[in-house]
Amino acid sequence: MPSIISSQLDLYSIKELPESHAWKSSLDDDGSRNINAESIPVIDLNHDHKFVMDTIGHACKTWGAFQIVNHNISHRLLNHMETHGTRLFSLPMQQKLKAARSSDGIAGYGVARISSFFDKLMWSEGFTIFGSPLEHARQLWPYDYNKFCDVIEEYENEMEKLAGRLMGLMLGSLGIAKEDVKWAVGPRSGSSALQLNSYPACPDPDRAMGLAAHTDSTLLTILHQNNTSGLQVFKEGNGWVTVLPLRGALVLNVGDLVHILSNGLYPSVLHRAIVNRTRHRLSVAYLYGPPSGVKISPLSKLVDQRNPQMYRPVTWSEYLGTKAKHFDKALSSVRLCAPRIGFANSKDQSGVQVG
Ligand SMILES: C=C1C[C@]23C[C@H]1CC[C@H]2[C@@]12CCC[C@@](C)(C(=O)O1)[C@H]2[C@@H]3C(=O)O
Ligand SMILES: O=C(O)CCC(=O)C(=O)O
Ligand SMILES: [Fe+2]
């Protein structure tokens, strides 16, 4: 387990990669820096409905991730979010620590929640918003916290609408009307989180890891990255594929709960973030979950004798607890029967850690 002291290192001031953050020797290159020609699809939401739905279905099956353009989230809002994120991580360390995540909490400033599963530390810092950001914002900027809260509120509202629309398209591509899934329509509250990730420029990027490989414990995640690459998705047969930032585009990741809902048809995507020698990278993940209390289980229309129910019902908070305990074994710990052969995530996710 990383010690408290080393998890609070100020990465902005370090001139040489400490052993605590060295994941692998520079000699063993796993090819992660190849910018492969093939990458995740880019989907224009302005195309006609049927085309968009079919393209999304195909992307979910084959990649578990895609980029979207013409999503109706304004450049102004994306830029504001980026500015406020950068402003937060530029604060002095002792100021950021005033909003530190408590050991049993979700919200606040700190290392990634999954850090405890690795013996090396990641080259990143994060700020998680779960519920109102007011208290933490007050600690960060005692005289000037409103602007931050306003941007977060607007961002969450806009993202919620987009996530609902994408959820409808994904369900549609599975042959399910959104209206047939009770919780997918109607009011929702407290069923999303926002994760700001900061990856400072790193003196030895080939040996460092920004955010270790994981799948998201969400229905879906909408990711905004600044104009610096770092996100990679894993595709069976291709290995790690870089998702190049496309100005104004957003990345959509299929999460574990859609994996469950689709009875394994849309596998959640394994992804990670690598770091950069000269540039600071910022990403903002909107983590979209079901309303609290709702049990997520494979849609009955997708279950029959030939396709038995693969997962037991779980609520979001139950699943988050399972993930915190079992990490990459969380999905298999709620599995009822063997995975479909040849599916992207049917293989064990262990073994992705190097170093
Ligand atoms: C709603 C969520 C989803 C969480 C936990 C909680 C709040 C923070 C999210 C993340 C964000 C960073 C990667 C991850 C793996 C992590 O360490 O914290 C995510 C995790 C998950 O998807 O499991
Ligand atoms: O920074 C990135 O591109 C990835 C972030 C991520 O995977 C997450 O916040 O869950
Ligand atoms: Fe993620």
Side-chain angles (χ1 to χ4, degrees):
M1 286 278 275
S3 74
I4 294 294
I5 298 299
S6 52
S7 25
Q8 291 168 0
L9 275 188
D10 187 354
L11 302 176
Y12 295 92
S13 59
I14 299 178
K15 300 279 172 286
E16 204 180 312
L17 191 75
E19 241 349 271
S20 55
H21 291 68
W23 283 57
K24 53 185 170 181
S25 98
S26 51
L27 296 173
D28 64 62
D29 178 9
D30 66 354
S32 68
R33 295 206 172 251
N34 298 340
I35 301 205
N36 300 358
E38 198 192 7
S39 190
I40 63 173
V42 179
I43 300 177
D44 180 348
L45 296 187
N46 274 356
H47 272 294
D48 68 274
H49 182 77
K50 176 84 172 75
F51 180 81
V52 172
M53 199 168 75
D54 292 346
T55 323
I56 285 183
H58 187 255
C60 288
K61 251 187 224 147
T62 51
W63 286 91
F66 52 91
Q67 304 212 56
I68 49 175
V69 294
N70 284 319
H71 42 60
N72 276 342
I73 309 280
S74 68
H75 283 284
R76 177 196 62 86
L77 182 56
L78 294 174
N79 290 340
H80 275 184
M81 191 62 248
E82 221 177 285
T83 308
H84 283 273
T86 307
R87 192 167 148 249
L88 189 160
F89 292 113
S90 311
L91 288 170
M93 182 54 87
Q94 90 259 23
Q95 194 64 19
K96 290 187 276 196
L97 288 175
K98 291 185 179 155
R101 185 190 304 125
S102 62
S103 57
D104 55 348
I106 289 186
Y109 172 79
V111 297
R113 211 164 98 117
I114 55 174
S115 296
S116 59
F117 292 96
F118 299 88
D119 53 8
K120 296 291 181 176
L121 286 160
M122 300 175 204
W123 195 263
S124 62
E125 49 183 349
F127 184 74
T128 312
I129 296 158
F130 196 63
S132 167
L134 184 64
E135 277 317 304
H136 282 144
R138 267 196 161 113
Q139 282 145 347
L140 294 169
W141 302 283
Y143 305 105
D144 171 27
Y145 49 85
N146 276 331
K147 265 187 282 161
F148 181 79
C149 294
D150 290 348
V151 172
I152 297 296
E153 190 181 326
E154 188 185 353
Y155 195 82
E156 286 184 333
N157 288 339
E158 289 298 307
M159 282 291 157
E160 179 171 346
K161 280 188 257 169
L162 179 60
R165 183 174 166 209
L166 289 163
M167 193 68 226
L169 285 160
M170 280 158 77
L171 287 170
S173 69
L174 288 163
I176 314 277
K178 195 180 176 193
E179 292 65 34
D180 291 345
V181 183
K182 258 192 250 129
W183 56 261
V185 282
R188 10 175 319 120
S189 61
S191 36
S192 69
L194 204 61
Q195 170 79 14
L196 315 189
N197 298 299
S198 165
Y199 307 92
C202 175
D204 196 351
D206 292 334
R207 295 169 64 216
M209 178 62 76
L211 186 58
H214 65 279
T215 58
D216 293 342
S217 316
T218 57
L219 286 165
L220 56 87
T221 301
I222 303 174
L223 188 91
H224 167 58
Q225 44 179 346
N226 74 353
N227 60 358
T228 302
S229 69
L231 174 65
Q232 296 186 322
V233 299
F234 189 82
K235 188 172 187 238
E236 206 69 48
N238 290 54
W240 289 105
V241 178
T242 299
V243 178
L244 288 175
L246 204 62
R247 199 179 131 71
L250 294 165
V251 180
L252 183 135
N253 288 340
V254 172
D256 293 343
L257 297 184
V258 158
H259 186 130
I260 294 175
L261 205 61
S262 67
N263 205 28
L265 281 173
Y266 291 175
S268 50
V269 64
L270 187 64
H271 57 284
R272 69 180 184 184
I274 58 171
V275 293
N276 195 286
R277 190 181 296 279
T278 52
R279 300 171 67 129
H280 173 240
R281 177 164 182 270
L282 183 88
S283 73
V284 181
Y286 177 75
L287 303 144
Y288 182 74
S292 64
V294 169
K295 290 242 187 209
I296 295 299
S297 59
L299 294 159
S300 54
K301 265 199 178 170
L302 304 177
V303 174
D304 56 29
Q305 261 190 330
R306 284 180 46 221
N307 302 288
Q309 180 176 338
M310 282 176 66
Y311 299 94
R312 69 170 174 83
V314 275
T315 63
W316 196 24
S317 65
E318 205 186 321
Y319 192 74
L320 285 172
T322 306
K323 187 69 153 254
K325 200 163 156 202
H326 301 293
F327 182 45
D328 58 338
K329 311 285 186 308
L331 201 48
S332 52
S333 79
V334 296
R335 193 149 61 205
L336 297 169
C337 58
R340 290 159 200 258
I341 292 160
F343 262 69
N345 273 3
S346 58
K347 76 169 179 49
D348 212 355
Q349 286 172 16
S350 54
V352 290
Q353 185 194 3
V354 271

